[in-house]
Amino acid sequence: MADKKISPSKQSLIYCFKQIWKYRKSYLPISAINVIAGAAIPFAEIIFLPLLINAMTAPEKDLRYIITLAASMVVSQILLQAINSCVTVHLEKSADFFLNIESEEISQLCMDIDFTLTENKDALDQIKKARDGMNWSGGAHEIAKGFFTILSNAIKLFGVAAVMIANAPVLLLIIGILLAVSAFINAKKNEIDIKNFAELSNINRIFGYVCWQMEDFRYGKDIRLYSAAGMMIEKSAQQIKRLSDYWQNINDKKYPLNVLDITVGALRDFGTYLYLGFLAITGRITIGVFSQMLSAAGTLHASLQAIIMGVQDIVKRSGYMYEVIKFMEYPPAMEKGTKKVADNSKGHEIEFRNVSFTYPGSDVKVLHDVSIKLRSGERLSVVGLNGAGKTTFIKLLCRLYDVDSGEILLDGVNIREYDYEEYMKLFSVVFQDFRLLAFSAADNITLGSEESPEAIDKLFETVGLLDDINELPKGRDTMMFKQFDKEGVELSGGQQQKMAIARALYKNAPVVILDEPTAALDPVAEYEIYRQFNDLVHGKTAVYISHRLSSCKFCEHIAVFSEGTIKEYGTHDELVHKRDGIYAEMFKAQAQYYV
Ligand code: ADP
């Protein structure tokens, strides 16, 4: 859709009408009624007023004719206004409806975009621009309303211009020229807004981040302990200052244009009265036509202005909306295949072949030349010091990022060739920095899929959390954290880890990965967790990561990561006897916990 050959405004307009057609078709015929009623309103006066004045100023007055004309004018005006108002109020109800739909679509896409883009500054800016753009555009309703207002005013304009050409063509010229000048001034004002939009979006993103950190109580501990409040306040003050400087700058730039706009408006009114007064005084038009022309001039002015403003408004709004389209069409960072993953019952073999990787936006090679094979049902322990590249190895395996060189194979096929969603289903991972959501305990396990309360309790029991959950105020329905419920709870680190493990078990994927979710525990407690988990996932392929040796005893193979590559690989017995080996050294240092 983000097609360079079609202008952003046109693309946005097409996008909005597609949204309307998809979600609320009835909006279109109702808008058509509004267009016709709105366009007809001024003609009640333009048609009946000169007849009425002429009848009233005629030497012989026909009272019934006068009353009929007056009543026709008033009744038709009231009727058209009533239709227009009712329909407008009805259509306004759609404003939030479309905004919510667009907001939902953006949120959906935020969760679907390639993970690697979540660290990409341009992509993050584009998400913010899309959200701001959607709000500032007013959504599909405001853009469609603008379009229909232009249409309605165009009908009025042609009607009025026809009446005016017949009676006072020069007036058409005067009003036309001065309105063109007003339009030019407004275009300049809009240009200022749109040019500065990117900067404003950037300020808002930083400002939003700082405010969010200040309000999010999970950061409260660190903020207090490290006395970071001063720094946070200063950062937010800096952004407030940037924001106020921004608006000051915009207002300064617009000020001379505003003055010019008011002057042009005054000149236009003056010219209209002067010209029509001249025609009336010199007897070239009757008083009836004088009032008709005055009314037509008002309508012409109003509708031409409404068209010009409407076009400018729609260009501005669709410029904002275009940011949504750009986000919807954000180029994927990863190649995605279509190949189906083979049946899990046969198991899967995983292989890293000479894999190297550097994080996007960084020039440090984090993994180099990593080669390893993992048979179905095998348990692999990945050990190494912090920063050795263990988590990165897992992120690549789970396709959160793509390798730079080398390849990762699943059952002998490059993982890029598989259907992404299907491939992701192969893994249950508890990451080191897992996060629980501020939803109920049960929701944190099922993440939205239907499950019976008994099955959920069984999982809590399996991970040794059932008693703790039963003691919570609302049991499994108790909310985590206090953002949305004052009875929400903050579980201990260990309890949260068990929840994360229960979530991983619930997914029941053929490959399970524990990435140091136990780093906060002492080595013996960590060993216990790995041991229990190992019993639970019996028979599945498993990868356990730690900077300690907790999991090595019950794994068939151990891969020792150091400086971004696998320095040692083998069984515990092989590695522990290796001379000057890293593993042997680690074992010596930590042996007291595991022997
Ligand atoms: P480990 O799990 O062994 O502690 P990681 O795989 O987390 O190590 O990290 C390996 C290296 O990659 C470290 O130097 C770390 O700073 C760097 N790194 C990790 N994540 C990112 C990232 N998102 N962007 C850039 N560098 C990263």
Side-chain angles (χ1 to χ4, degrees):
M1 168 88 87
D3 184 341
K4 295 233 163 59
K5 280 185 240 138
I6 309 175
S7 76
S9 304
K10 264 195 216 146
Q11 288 189 53
S12 300
L13 207 59
I14 294 169
Y15 170 76
C16 290
F17 277 99
K18 276 188 177 164
Q19 292 285 87
I20 292 171
W21 184 249
K22 186 168 168 193
Y23 295 107
R24 193 165 269 183
K25 290 189 178 59
S26 64
Y27 185 95
L28 297 173
I30 298 173
S31 294
I33 296 173
N34 214 21
V35 166
I36 295 165
I41 293 170
F43 289 96
E45 191 178 292
I46 290 172
I47 293 169
F48 289 114
L49 193 64
L51 298 176
L52 187 64
I53 291 176
N54 286 344
M56 283 162 67
T57 51
E60 282 180 30
K61 295 178 181 55
D62 180 344
L63 202 57
R64 277 188 62 184
Y65 180 56
I66 290 175
I67 292 173
T68 312
L69 284 176
S72 306
M73 185 171 83
V74 174
V75 170
S76 54
Q77 263 182 340
I78 291 174
L79 217 64
L80 289 169
Q81 283 283 10
I83 296 172
N84 190 244
S85 304
C86 292
V87 174
T88 302
V89 169
H90 182 79
L91 288 174
E92 285 299 326
K93 289 186 201 157
S94 298
D96 281 346
F97 172 79
F98 286 116
L99 272 177
N100 291 341
I101 281 179
E102 277 141 30
S103 177
E104 235 171 72
E105 287 191 352
I106 293 176
S107 302
Q108 177 71 43
L109 199 61
C110 284
M111 289 183 286
D112 288 347
I113 57 165
D114 292 337
F115 181 79
T116 167
L117 292 176
T118 62
E119 291 180 321
N120 177 311
K121 185 184 169 298
D122 288 344
L124 292 177
D125 274 339
Q126 191 56 50
I127 292 174
K128 180 72 184 131
K129 277 194 216 164
R131 285 222 177 274
D132 285 348
M134 181 199 70
N135 287 325
W136 297 355
S137 73
H141 164 71
E142 286 299 335
I143 291 180
K145 186 172 88 176
F147 175 80
F148 286 122
T149 307
I150 293 172
L151 198 61
S152 177
N153 279 289
I155 298 174
K156 262 188 233 175
L157 185 88
F158 281 115
V160 168
V163 176
M164 208 172 259
I165 285 169
N167 295 292
V170 178
L171 189 58
L172 196 62
L173 200 69
I174 297 174
I175 297 177
I177 291 172
L178 289 170
L179 277 176
V181 177
S182 286
F184 177 75
I185 296 168
N186 267 295
K188 289 279 153 209
K189 286 201 263 182
N190 282 344
E191 229 173 68
I192 295 174
D193 281 338
I194 290 182
K195 253 192 201 157
N196 293 281
F197 171 66
E199 189 196 341
L200 184 60
S201 204
N202 177 276
I203 301 174
N204 278 340
R205 189 162 76 82
I206 300 174
F207 190 39
Y209 175 77
V210 175
C211 290
W212 181 68
Q213 304 277 329
M214 283 161 57
E215 284 167 20
D216 189 339
F217 85 110
R218 280 174 302 171
Y219 294 84
K221 289 196 283 296
D222 289 339
I223 288 176
R224 280 164 187 72
L225 282 168
Y226 292 100
S227 309
M231 183 193 79
M232 300 298 279
I233 303 261
E234 193 190 313
K235 291 231 179 279
S236 108
Q238 276 169 6
Q239 296 312 315
I240 291 173
K241 165 98 180 47
R242 269 184 85 189
L243 211 55
S244 80
D245 286 352
Y246 172 86
W247 286 117
Q248 184 62 46
N249 177 31
I250 294 273
N251 288 339
D252 288 350
K253 281 185 182 155
K254 281 187 183 173
Y255 181 74
L257 294 170
N258 285 334
V259 173
L260 203 62
D261 202 16
I262 294 167
T263 315
V264 170
L267 271 177
R268 191 183 49 237
D269 290 347
F270 178 70
T272 304
Y273 281 103
L274 196 70
Y275 177 66
L276 285 180
F278 169 75
L279 291 184
I281 290 166
T282 54
R284 289 173 204 198
I285 54 174
T286 65
I287 295 298
V289 174
F290 173 82
S291 62
Q292 184 190 42
M293 283 303 100
L294 217 49
S295 166
T299 304
L300 184 88
H301 167 209
S303 52
L304 198 58
Q305 200 166 35
I307 291 172
I308 292 165
M309 300 286 178
V311 169
Q312 288 169 350
D313 188 62
I314 231 174
V315 168
K316 184 162 112 176
R317 285 180 187 279
S318 52
Y320 294 143
M321 183 58 97
Y322 189 59
E323 299 297 339
V324 177
I325 297 173
K326 279 201 315 212
F327 178 52
M328 296 282 173
E329 298 294 309
Y330 207 88
M334 286 177 167
E335 214 179 286
K336 286 172 191 143
T338 51
K339 203 172 168 58
K340 297 266 170 232
V341 173
D343 189 0
N344 289 338
S345 62
K346 296 190 190 103
H348 300 287
E349 188 184 78
I350 294 165
E351 181 181 358
F352 274 59
R353 214 180 263 173
N354 309 106
V355 167
S356 296
F357 177 69
T358 303
Y359 277 101
S362 154
D363 41 17
V364 181
K365 205 183 239 190
V366 171
L367 286 189
H368 21 158
D369 208 19
V370 171
S371 296
I372 191 170
K373 259 191 189 174
L374 193 58
R375 291 187 330 273
S376 168
E378 182 181 338
R379 284 158 301 169
L380 173 74
S381 178
V382 175
V383 296
L385 299 179
N386 284 333
K390 305 183 294 297
T391 301
T392 308
F393 170 72
I394 297 304
K395 287 182 183 165
L396 292 180
L397 174 60
C398 300
R399 267 211 98 185
L400 294 180
Y401 298 92
D402 268 341
V403 303
D404 298 338
S405 62
E407 52 183 353
I408 303 173
L409 309 166
L410 178 87
D411 304 328
V413 176
N414 192 316
I415 59 173
R416 291 179 197 230
E417 291 180 29
Y418 286 109
D419 176 276
Y420 191 72
E421 308 269 310
E422 268 205 25
Y423 182 76
M424 294 299 249
K425 285 193 184 131
L426 293 175
F427 303 96
S428 271
V429 191
V430 181
F431 277 108
Q432 202 171 358
D433 54 354
F434 69 86
R435 281 233 185 272
L436 298 186
L437 300 166
F439 301 140
S440 73
D443 282 348
N444 264 287
I445 303 300
T446 61
L447 297 180
S449 44
E450 288 286 318
E451 194 51 89
S452 70
E454 294 75 29
I456 296 171
D457 282 353
K458 183 100 192 45
L459 266 174
F460 283 136
E461 191 180 1
T462 310
V463 296
L465 199 59
L466 187 60
D467 291 343
D468 295 348
I469 295 289
N470 283 341
E471 279 171 18
L472 297 178
K474 294 181 194 158
R476 72 180 93 74
D477 294 323
T478 306
M479 296 289 263
M480 301 294 104
F481 315 115
K482 294 191 185 290
Q483 273 114 316
F484 306 123
D485 186 351
K486 62 181 182 325
E487 283 191 59
V489 292
E490 187 159 14
L491 299 181
S492 72
Q495 289 169 324
Q496 291 196 29
Q497 272 153 6
K498 287 177 181 171
M499 289 272 282
I501 288 172
R503 176 157 75 189
L505 289 176
Y506 178 77
K507 187 175 171 189
N508 196 20
V511 183
V512 291
I513 299 168
L514 275 195
D515 178 8
E516 281 197 296
T518 52
L521 302 181
D522 65 66
V524 178
E526 180 181 271
Y527 172 79
E528 261 315 294
I529 294 221
Y530 277 116
R531 197 185 56 73
Q532 281 172 6
F533 190 77
N534 193 49
D535 289 345
L536 298 173
V537 299
H538 188 70
K540 292 182 192 255
T541 309
V543 183
Y544 302 128
I545 299 186
S546 181
H547 64 284
R548 297 187 286 220
L549 309 182
S550 331
S551 55
C552 297
K553 279 224 160 161
F554 40 78
C555 287
E556 285 89 6
H557 286 106
I558 295 155
V560 184
F561 272 70
S562 175
E563 293 165 353
T565 194
I566 300 178
K567 286 275 167 68
E568 292 171 17
Y569 177 79
T571 63
H572 171 75
D573 287 337
E574 283 164 5
L575 295 183
V576 82
H577 295 118
K578 200 165 179 231
R579 262 171 157 248
D580 300 327
I582 303 171
Y583 186 82
E585 276 298 312
M586 285 171 87
F587 190 73
K588 241 187 267 166
Q590 299 176 23
Q592 81 263 27
Y593 303 118
Y594 308 117
V595 284

